[in-house]
Amino acid sequence: MRSIKWKLIIMYLGLVLIVMIVSGTYILLSLRNIEIDKSRQELATYAERINEQVIEGGKDEEFQEKLLKTVSNAVGIQGNILNTNGETIASTTVTEAPYPVYTDQAIIAAMNGMTSFSTQKKSTDSFGLLREWMSYATPVQTSGTTPSYIIYTRLDASDMQTSLDKTTQTIVAAVMIALFLAAVMGYVFAQTLTGPILALTTGAKNLAEGNMDQSLTVRSNDEIGQLTSSFNNMAAELSKNMSEISREKNRLEILLHNMSDGVISFSKDGELMLANTAAEGMLGLEKIEMNFTEFIRAYDISSSVYLDMGNEPSKKVIFPVGKQFINANFSPYYDKRGEVEGVVVVLQDITEQKKLDDMRKEFVANVSHELRTPLTTVKSYTETLLDGAMEDAEIAQEFLGIINSEADRMAFLVRDLLQLTRFDNKQVRLDITKIEMNEFLSMTVRQNKIHAEAKHQTLTFEPYEHEVVVFGDRDRVGQVVNNIVTNAIKYSLEQASIRIFITEEEQFYKIHVKDTGMGITREDLPRIFERFYRVDKARSRAMGGTGLGLAIAKEIMESHGGKLTAESEYGKGTTMIMWFPKERPILEYEREEQKA
């Protein structure tokens, strides 16, 4: 039985039952003892009367007559006079001989000179019913010390037993009524006590299931009422704390999943605890479902990285994922006792940084190479002149021309580098004016046509159907257009065709320079605007140039609010597209001046 209510009811009923049984038994025994003492007193008194009124001063032959005359039998007591052998010589129940023969323990005790009471059952009627008798026997001495007679009285105890049985029945009925009332009162008491406890239990289960918004009714001011009130306060505080924790968890989850860095956490057993969206994206997985060992093996990370790092500082490992490079920072985290609970891995995509670093290294190498070649030439020819070549005027003139040419080459390189540096540092100021592109491009074609014809190439411009006005710095725009047209002529074979035309979009005018030259491979096309990048390095250096022209052209177009793009198919030709906005752009330095 698991319910405390029924336990209380049964305990209460058991207590009432025990009390009633004990008290009823005590009452019955007390009544019986009282009745027995009363009967004994009556038997002794009756025997005393027989002794005084019959035996004293009488003879044996007179006992019967005197006994019947002087002693009344109205109280239901039978009186008998026995001789010392236990034989009846007079009786109130029989008027003449033969007299009843009695066998009783009390008579035997009286024959031995002792007064005694006894109780016995004996069949005395024609129906064979057993009747319970209380008897009393006392010896009577008429002379000397030896008993002369025995007075034997007895009383039918059936009436007393009947009275006791009725009392027992009354007590049993009272016990049953008391048990019924006790059950009702116990149920009410238990319900009063266990009702709030059951409500508290239900409330605790609801709390465990996450239902924090609840309040129990306080029905009393006792300890249970105080407990219920405390429970309500606890539920309110828990609800408040859980709401705060939930909000904080949501904030942390939003922060975690919107971080640009990837985060993966493993427990001390190597099981995956969490992984954010950035980590999945960096690793190229829809969902990370690997443990620590599988993670280490999958990306071939150094074996020096392990779960139980102890007090070691975090470790950084760089590993490739496809074309990307990921920097992983492994850091242990600890519990309150200072023991390692797991490892947090922070992932950073350093592809761009690595690419920039590689570009920086390549840039330094390219600058060094571009400067070293003319410097080597200048030094060699100078040393030759100093060694005596100055005496030959023709050779000296040729060598000085070469030195001058190499010096110009270095000057052009330094000029382009300084120009890119000014763009990088936002130091370029543009003189924005209106430029009518039909006229501007026609002039550019006329300037470059002689170079195209020298290679038997066809250079043409198709004017647009209406006037095309863009906003730009005329010198800078001319630098871009000339660079692109010059490249088209330089890198196209003889008999090639170079076509310039204009198209229009909603916000831009697009100037196309399309050639039928050698084209650019798909791998090289995204890099042609990088500084010093050359598709065919040997051929490009043989044709001259610094390798910075397209990088400068791209910076100029972007400073005008436009852009420079390229389309190419290897072996068929290339199309360079200059995008000019139709509206006058607000330059970056103008925007900063307006803010100031």
Side-chain angles (χ1 to χ4, degrees), residues 46-83:
Y46 195 67
E48 183 68 25
R49 288 173 59 191
I50 291 174
N51 183 35
E52 292 175 355
Q53 297 180 16
V54 177
I55 296 178
E56 291 179 358
K59 298 180 179 179
D60 291 351
E61 60 272 11
E62 297 175 351
F63 286 168
Q64 180 64 40
E65 184 178 354
K66 283 186 177 182
L67 186 62
L68 293 174
K69 288 182 179 179
T70 60
V71 181
S72 173
N73 194 30
V75 294
I77 299 176
Q78 297 179 4
N80 299 279
I81 299 174
L82 282 68
N83 58 25

Short mmCIF file of all heavy atoms in Angstrom, two decimals, residues 46-83:
data_model
loop_
_atom_site.label_atom_id
_atom_site.label_comp_id
_atom_site.label_asym_id
_atom_site.label_seq_id
_atom_site.Cartn_x
_atom_site.Cartn_y
_atom_site.Cartn_z
N TYR A 46 -25.07 -16.50 53.11
CA TYR A 46 -26.09 -17.55 53.17
C TYR A 46 -25.61 -18.70 54.05
O TYR A 46 -26.36 -19.26 54.88
CB TYR A 46 -26.40 -18.02 51.76
CG TYR A 46 -27.67 -18.82 51.65
CD1 TYR A 46 -28.92 -18.23 51.89
CD2 TYR A 46 -27.62 -20.19 51.35
CE1 TYR A 46 -30.07 -18.96 51.78
CE2 TYR A 46 -28.78 -20.92 51.24
CZ TYR A 46 -30.01 -20.30 51.45
OH TYR A 46 -31.16 -21.05 51.36
N ALA A 47 -24.36 -19.06 53.88
CA ALA A 47 -23.79 -20.14 54.70
C ALA A 47 -23.75 -19.74 56.17
O ALA A 47 -24.00 -20.57 57.07
CB ALA A 47 -22.39 -20.48 54.19
N GLU A 48 -23.45 -18.47 56.45
CA GLU A 48 -23.40 -17.99 57.81
C GLU A 48 -24.78 -18.07 58.48
O GLU A 48 -24.91 -18.46 59.65
CB GLU A 48 -22.86 -16.54 57.84
CG GLU A 48 -22.70 -15.95 59.24
CD GLU A 48 -21.59 -16.65 60.02
OE1 GLU A 48 -20.66 -17.21 59.36
OE2 GLU A 48 -21.65 -16.66 61.24
N ARG A 49 -25.84 -17.74 57.72
CA ARG A 49 -27.20 -17.82 58.23
C ARG A 49 -27.58 -19.28 58.55
O ARG A 49 -28.24 -19.57 59.55
CB ARG A 49 -28.18 -17.24 57.21
CG ARG A 49 -28.10 -15.72 57.11
CD ARG A 49 -28.96 -15.21 55.97
NE ARG A 49 -30.34 -15.61 56.17
CZ ARG A 49 -31.31 -15.49 55.23
NH1 ARG A 49 -30.99 -15.03 54.04
NH2 ARG A 49 -32.54 -15.86 55.51
N ILE A 50 -27.16 -20.20 57.64
CA ILE A 50 -27.45 -21.63 57.90
C ILE A 50 -26.77 -22.07 59.19
O ILE A 50 -27.35 -22.79 60.01
CB ILE A 50 -27.01 -22.49 56.71
CG1 ILE A 50 -27.91 -22.19 55.50
CG2 ILE A 50 -27.04 -23.98 57.05
CD1 ILE A 50 -27.46 -22.88 54.23
N ASN A 51 -25.56 -21.62 59.38
CA ASN A 51 -24.81 -22.03 60.58
C ASN A 51 -25.48 -21.48 61.82
O ASN A 51 -25.62 -22.16 62.83
CB ASN A 51 -23.37 -21.53 60.47
CG ASN A 51 -22.52 -21.98 61.66
OD1 ASN A 51 -22.70 -23.09 62.20
ND2 ASN A 51 -21.60 -21.12 62.10
N GLU A 52 -25.92 -20.22 61.76
CA GLU A 52 -26.48 -19.58 62.94
C GLU A 52 -27.89 -20.10 63.23
O GLU A 52 -28.25 -20.27 64.40
CB GLU A 52 -26.52 -18.06 62.75
CG GLU A 52 -25.14 -17.42 62.70
CD GLU A 52 -25.21 -15.94 62.40
OE1 GLU A 52 -26.35 -15.46 62.12
OE2 GLU A 52 -24.17 -15.26 62.44
N GLN A 53 -28.67 -20.30 62.20
CA GLN A 53 -30.09 -20.58 62.41
C GLN A 53 -30.40 -22.08 62.38
O GLN A 53 -31.46 -22.49 62.89
CB GLN A 53 -30.93 -19.89 61.32
CG GLN A 53 -30.81 -18.38 61.35
CD GLN A 53 -31.65 -17.72 60.27
OE1 GLN A 53 -32.53 -18.36 59.69
NE2 GLN A 53 -31.37 -16.44 60.02
N VAL A 54 -29.54 -22.89 61.83
CA VAL A 54 -29.90 -24.31 61.69
C VAL A 54 -28.98 -25.18 62.54
O VAL A 54 -29.44 -26.00 63.34
CB VAL A 54 -29.83 -24.73 60.22
CG1 VAL A 54 -30.14 -26.22 60.07
CG2 VAL A 54 -30.79 -23.90 59.38
N ILE A 55 -27.66 -25.04 62.35
CA ILE A 55 -26.74 -25.99 62.95
C ILE A 55 -26.59 -25.72 64.45
O ILE A 55 -26.61 -26.64 65.27
CB ILE A 55 -25.39 -25.95 62.24
CG1 ILE A 55 -25.55 -26.41 60.80
CG2 ILE A 55 -24.35 -26.80 62.98
CD1 ILE A 55 -24.28 -26.37 60.00
N GLU A 56 -26.46 -24.49 64.85
CA GLU A 56 -26.21 -24.20 66.26
C GLU A 56 -27.48 -24.53 67.07
O GLU A 56 -28.55 -23.98 66.81
CB GLU A 56 -25.83 -22.72 66.45
CG GLU A 56 -24.49 -22.37 65.89
CD GLU A 56 -24.17 -20.91 66.10
OE1 GLU A 56 -25.02 -20.18 66.63
OE2 GLU A 56 -23.05 -20.50 65.71
N GLY A 57 -27.34 -25.41 67.99
CA GLY A 57 -28.45 -25.78 68.89
C GLY A 57 -29.39 -26.79 68.27
O GLY A 57 -30.47 -27.03 68.81
N GLY A 58 -29.09 -27.43 67.20
CA GLY A 58 -29.98 -28.40 66.57
C GLY A 58 -29.32 -29.75 66.45
O GLY A 58 -28.15 -29.95 66.74
N LYS A 59 -30.11 -30.76 66.00
CA LYS A 59 -29.60 -32.11 65.79
C LYS A 59 -29.74 -32.48 64.33
O LYS A 59 -30.49 -31.84 63.60
CB LYS A 59 -30.39 -33.11 66.66
CG LYS A 59 -30.24 -32.84 68.17
CD LYS A 59 -31.03 -33.85 68.96
CE LYS A 59 -30.88 -33.62 70.50
NZ LYS A 59 -31.66 -34.59 71.28
N ASP A 60 -29.09 -33.60 63.99
CA ASP A 60 -29.08 -33.96 62.57
C ASP A 60 -30.49 -34.16 62.04
O ASP A 60 -30.80 -33.75 60.90
CB ASP A 60 -28.28 -35.26 62.37
CG ASP A 60 -26.79 -35.05 62.63
OD1 ASP A 60 -26.37 -33.87 62.80
OD2 ASP A 60 -26.03 -36.03 62.63
N GLU A 61 -31.36 -34.77 62.84
CA GLU A 61 -32.70 -35.04 62.34
C GLU A 61 -33.54 -33.79 62.25
O GLU A 61 -34.61 -33.80 61.62
CB GLU A 61 -33.40 -36.09 63.23
CG GLU A 61 -33.57 -35.68 64.68
CD GLU A 61 -32.37 -36.06 65.54
OE1 GLU A 61 -31.33 -36.45 64.96
OE2 GLU A 61 -32.47 -35.96 66.75
N GLU A 62 -33.07 -32.71 62.84
CA GLU A 62 -33.83 -31.47 62.79
C GLU A 62 -33.33 -30.51 61.71
O GLU A 62 -33.95 -29.48 61.45
CB GLU A 62 -33.75 -30.77 64.16
CG GLU A 62 -34.37 -31.58 65.28
CD GLU A 62 -34.17 -30.93 66.63
OE1 GLU A 62 -33.39 -29.92 66.67
OE2 GLU A 62 -34.76 -31.37 67.62
N PHE A 63 -32.18 -30.87 61.11
CA PHE A 63 -31.55 -29.93 60.15
C PHE A 63 -32.43 -29.66 58.95
O PHE A 63 -32.59 -28.50 58.52
CB PHE A 63 -30.19 -30.46 59.69
CG PHE A 63 -29.11 -30.35 60.75
CD1 PHE A 63 -27.89 -31.00 60.59
CD2 PHE A 63 -29.30 -29.59 61.91
CE1 PHE A 63 -26.91 -30.90 61.54
CE2 PHE A 63 -28.31 -29.50 62.87
CZ PHE A 63 -27.11 -30.16 62.70
N GLN A 64 -33.02 -30.70 58.40
CA GLN A 64 -33.82 -30.54 57.18
C GLN A 64 -35.02 -29.65 57.44
O GLN A 64 -35.32 -28.74 56.66
CB GLN A 64 -34.27 -31.91 56.66
CG GLN A 64 -35.10 -31.83 55.39
CD GLN A 64 -34.35 -31.28 54.21
OE1 GLN A 64 -33.20 -31.61 54.03
NE2 GLN A 64 -34.97 -30.39 53.45
N GLU A 65 -35.69 -29.93 58.54
CA GLU A 65 -36.90 -29.17 58.84
C GLU A 65 -36.55 -27.71 59.13
O GLU A 65 -37.21 -26.80 58.64
CB GLU A 65 -37.60 -29.81 60.06
CG GLU A 65 -38.93 -29.13 60.39
CD GLU A 65 -39.63 -29.81 61.57
OE1 GLU A 65 -39.13 -30.84 62.04
OE2 GLU A 65 -40.66 -29.27 61.99
N LYS A 66 -35.54 -27.46 59.94
CA LYS A 66 -35.14 -26.10 60.23
C LYS A 66 -34.64 -25.37 58.99
O LYS A 66 -34.89 -24.19 58.81
CB LYS A 66 -34.04 -26.09 61.31
CG LYS A 66 -34.54 -26.33 62.73
CD LYS A 66 -33.40 -26.14 63.70
CE LYS A 66 -33.88 -26.30 65.15
NZ LYS A 66 -32.79 -26.06 66.10
N LEU A 67 -33.90 -26.13 58.18
CA LEU A 67 -33.32 -25.52 56.97
C LEU A 67 -34.42 -24.99 56.07
O LEU A 67 -34.34 -23.88 55.53
CB LEU A 67 -32.45 -26.53 56.24
CG LEU A 67 -31.65 -26.01 55.04
CD1 LEU A 67 -30.67 -24.93 55.46
CD2 LEU A 67 -30.90 -27.16 54.35
N LEU A 68 -35.51 -25.76 55.94
CA LEU A 68 -36.59 -25.34 55.06
C LEU A 68 -37.41 -24.22 55.69
O LEU A 68 -37.98 -23.38 54.99
CB LEU A 68 -37.50 -26.54 54.75
CG LEU A 68 -36.86 -27.66 53.91
CD1 LEU A 68 -37.81 -28.85 53.81
CD2 LEU A 68 -36.51 -27.14 52.54
N LYS A 69 -37.46 -24.16 57.03
CA LYS A 69 -38.29 -23.16 57.68
C LYS A 69 -37.58 -21.82 57.84
O LYS A 69 -38.20 -20.78 57.76
CB LYS A 69 -38.71 -23.66 59.08
CG LYS A 69 -39.74 -24.77 59.03
CD LYS A 69 -40.14 -25.18 60.46
CE LYS A 69 -41.19 -26.28 60.45
NZ LYS A 69 -41.57 -26.71 61.82
N THR A 70 -36.33 -21.88 58.15
CA THR A 70 -35.65 -20.64 58.55
C THR A 70 -34.89 -19.94 57.42
O THR A 70 -34.61 -18.75 57.50
CB THR A 70 -34.66 -20.94 59.69
OG1 THR A 70 -33.69 -21.90 59.23
CG2 THR A 70 -35.37 -21.49 60.90
N VAL A 71 -34.50 -20.67 56.38
CA VAL A 71 -33.67 -20.07 55.32
C VAL A 71 -34.49 -19.96 54.04
O VAL A 71 -35.02 -20.96 53.55
CB VAL A 71 -32.41 -20.92 55.06
CG1 VAL A 71 -31.56 -20.27 53.97
CG2 VAL A 71 -31.62 -21.06 56.33
N SER A 72 -34.61 -18.78 53.54
CA SER A 72 -35.36 -18.55 52.31
C SER A 72 -34.46 -18.83 51.09
O SER A 72 -33.27 -18.55 51.10
CB SER A 72 -35.86 -17.09 52.25
OG SER A 72 -36.45 -16.85 51.00
N ASN A 73 -35.09 -19.34 50.01
CA ASN A 73 -34.34 -19.63 48.77
C ASN A 73 -34.70 -18.64 47.66
O ASN A 73 -34.54 -18.92 46.49
CB ASN A 73 -34.66 -21.06 48.31
CG ASN A 73 -33.68 -21.56 47.25
OD1 ASN A 73 -32.53 -21.15 47.26
ND2 ASN A 73 -34.14 -22.42 46.38
N ALA A 74 -35.20 -17.46 48.04
CA ALA A 74 -35.68 -16.49 47.06
C ALA A 74 -34.57 -15.92 46.24
O ALA A 74 -34.78 -15.51 45.10
CB ALA A 74 -36.43 -15.37 47.77
N VAL A 75 -33.35 -15.87 46.72
CA VAL A 75 -32.24 -15.26 45.98
C VAL A 75 -31.64 -16.22 44.99
O VAL A 75 -30.68 -15.89 44.29
CB VAL A 75 -31.15 -14.75 46.95
CG1 VAL A 75 -31.67 -13.62 47.79
CG2 VAL A 75 -30.64 -15.88 47.80
N GLY A 76 -32.13 -17.45 44.86
CA GLY A 76 -31.62 -18.43 43.90
C GLY A 76 -30.42 -19.17 44.38
O GLY A 76 -29.70 -19.78 43.58
N ILE A 77 -30.18 -19.16 45.71
CA ILE A 77 -29.02 -19.84 46.26
C ILE A 77 -29.51 -21.15 46.89
O ILE A 77 -30.51 -21.18 47.60
CB ILE A 77 -28.32 -18.99 47.32
CG1 ILE A 77 -27.83 -17.68 46.67
CG2 ILE A 77 -27.13 -19.73 47.94
CD1 ILE A 77 -27.20 -16.71 47.67
N GLN A 78 -28.82 -22.21 46.60
CA GLN A 78 -29.13 -23.51 47.20
C GLN A 78 -28.22 -23.72 48.41
O GLN A 78 -27.04 -23.45 48.36
CB GLN A 78 -28.89 -24.62 46.17
CG GLN A 78 -29.79 -24.53 44.94
CD GLN A 78 -29.49 -25.64 43.94
OE1 GLN A 78 -28.65 -26.50 44.21
NE2 GLN A 78 -30.21 -25.61 42.82
N GLY A 79 -28.87 -24.21 49.52
CA GLY A 79 -28.10 -24.46 50.73
C GLY A 79 -28.11 -25.94 51.07
O GLY A 79 -29.15 -26.61 50.93
N ASN A 80 -27.02 -26.47 51.54
CA ASN A 80 -26.88 -27.88 51.85
C ASN A 80 -25.99 -28.02 53.08
O ASN A 80 -25.06 -27.23 53.28
CB ASN A 80 -26.23 -28.65 50.70
CG ASN A 80 -27.06 -28.57 49.41
OD1 ASN A 80 -28.03 -29.29 49.24
ND2 ASN A 80 -26.70 -27.64 48.53
N ILE A 81 -26.36 -29.07 53.90
CA ILE A 81 -25.54 -29.40 55.06
C ILE A 81 -25.00 -30.80 54.82
O ILE A 81 -25.77 -31.73 54.51
CB ILE A 81 -26.35 -29.35 56.37
CG1 ILE A 81 -26.88 -27.92 56.57
CG2 ILE A 81 -25.46 -29.74 57.56
CD1 ILE A 81 -27.82 -27.80 57.77
N LEU A 82 -23.71 -30.95 54.91
CA LEU A 82 -23.05 -32.22 54.64
C LEU A 82 -22.32 -32.66 55.91
O LEU A 82 -21.90 -31.82 56.72
CB LEU A 82 -22.04 -32.08 53.50
CG LEU A 82 -22.58 -32.03 52.07
CD1 LEU A 82 -23.36 -30.75 51.80
CD2 LEU A 82 -21.40 -32.10 51.06
N ASN A 83 -22.20 -33.98 56.05
CA ASN A 83 -21.40 -34.48 57.16
C ASN A 83 -19.94 -34.45 56.76
O ASN A 83 -19.59 -34.05 55.66
CB ASN A 83 -21.85 -35.89 57.58
CG ASN A 83 -21.76 -36.88 56.40
OD1 ASN A 83 -20.98 -36.68 55.47
ND2 ASN A 83 -22.55 -37.94 56.44
#
